[in-house]
Amino acid sequence: EASLQGYRQWRSNTQNTLEVSPGSFDRQPVNQGGARVLAALERVVYRPSGRIDIEQSATLSDSGVDATHEPFAYLPSALSVATGSVHAQGDVPAWTVVASGRASTSVYDPYAPDQRVAGYGYLDLGARLSAMLGAGTRAFATVRLENLFDRPIQIVSGYPSLGRNIGVFVGAEL
């Protein structure tokens, strides 16, 4: 009930808003050595009405291990995610339809240092139905179609992703 109440409060406070979150950078020790990570994180959320949410986030990074001067393995220098959703009116929407796209630059592969794993881009679709069962209990069903156009994606060299896949989830929040 507390999380449901928090969600209602968040929805009522974020109607017709534009939020922008700036990023930061940090330097962390790695394996008894030094490493550098410089990252710019950006997130924009726009809610033009009570039924539409649009979100875009991006990460730009430059990283490396001080001892070897190699970039971090599998960390893209640019990653962007855009999401749009349409949902029913109300504090807890009875239905939601979501489309999201993801794009990444190529990444360094320490097992094949003379080549990079190619970047990728793909589109996901999803839908969620929910119903209040009473006394703060909500049942839901979610369907998600990932990698809609079945694009070949490898995040680690030699290990392709599953390609297009469908997930169906059913549950309840008490």
Side-chain angles (χ1 to χ4, degrees), residues 3 5-6 15 21 34 55 72 80 93 106 110 138-139 152 163 167:
S3 64
Q5 196 62 24
Q15 297 298 315
S21 304
E55 181 175 339
F72 281 177
S80 181
S106 63
R138 179 168 55 138

Side-chain angles (χ1 to χ4, degrees), residues 21-169:
S21 304
S24 61
F25 70 93
D26 196 5
R27 184 177 174 87
Q28 297 286 336
V30 175
N31 296 333
Q32 301 172 347
R36 63 178 164 74
V37 177
L38 179 63
L41 313 169
E42 164 270 333
R43 179 173 177 254
V44 175
V45 178
Y46 179 55
R47 294 183 177 83
S49 74
R51 296 176 57 102
I52 299 172
D53 293 342
I54 300 168
E55 181 175 339
Q56 191 278 327
S57 62
T59 304
L60 301 175
S61 64
D62 180 35
S63 65
V65 178
D66 290 342
T68 63
H69 303 287
E70 293 177 340
F72 281 177
Y74 312 118
L75 179 65
S77 58
L79 176 66
S80 181
V81 178
T83 304
S85 66
V86 177
H87 49 82
Q89 292 280 28
D91 293 334
V92 180
W95 58 267
T96 303
V97 177
V98 178
S100 64
R102 179 180 305 261
S104 171
T105 58
S106 63
V107 297
Y108 171 73
D109 182 349
Y111 299 105
D114 55 332
Q115 63 185 19
R116 295 177 66 84
V117 178
Y120 59 85
Y122 61 89
L123 180 67
D124 299 333
L125 297 175
R128 179 179 174 121
L129 297 173
S130 60
M132 293 303 293
L133 301 178
T137 302
R138 179 168 55 138
F140 63 88
T142 302
V143 176
R144 184 163 175 85
L145 175 60
E146 296 178 344
N147 196 356
L148 177 66
F149 299 111
D150 200 23
R151 298 196 30 107
I153 297 169
Q154 287 190 64
I155 296 173
V156 176
S157 184
Y159 295 92
S161 70
L162 294 175
R164 181 184 310 125
N165 62 81
I166 283 187
V168 178
F169 311 94

